[in-house]
Amino acid sequence: MYGNARVSGNADWITISPIGSENGLLTAFKQKDGSVIVRRGCFSGTIEEFESAVNKRHGDNKHGEIYRHVISLLKLRFNLS
């Protein structure tokens, strides 16, 4: 975690591993402004940006499907609509 991360409790971050085509680590954390950043491999951005990147790279394949479930989980975890 870095930059504007604001971790004040266990509910402000989550990691999931192994995941994706490279069996890597996904980390998501809340920032000071309440937004959430997702980091996976060389990707770092908002949940919306992550979802767009997943759809572009993986489409409807198995990894895309798993990532879309993770995105739903992240939205629930961080109380996002």
Side-chain angles (χ1 to χ4, degrees):
M1 290 175 251
Y2 64 96
N4 289 322
R6 180 176 187 258
V7 177
S8 60
N10 288 339
D12 290 342
W13 64 277
I14 189 170
T15 60
I16 300 170
S17 180
I19 191 164
S21 58
E22 299 169 344
N23 291 313
L25 173 72
L26 180 144
T27 302
F29 57 91
K30 192 179 287 187
Q31 297 196 105
K32 291 178 184 177
D33 66 2
S35 63
V36 175
I37 294 296
V38 178
R39 297 191 75 195
R40 171 60 201 103
C42 62
F43 176 87
S44 181
T46 65
I47 290 177
E48 293 80 13
E49 292 168 336
F50 181 64
E51 186 170 22
S52 178
V54 164
N55 290 334
K56 183 176 180 179
R57 177 163 183 192
H58 296 290
D60 291 329
N61 73 18
K62 176 183 174 183
H63 300 295
E65 183 178 354
I66 291 169
Y67 277 133
R68 280 186 285 283
H69 285 288
V70 167
I71 291 164
S72 294
L73 170 71
L74 296 177
K75 289 178 179 179
L76 285 170
R77 170 77 174 190
F78 295 109
N79 297 314
L80 304 172
S81 305

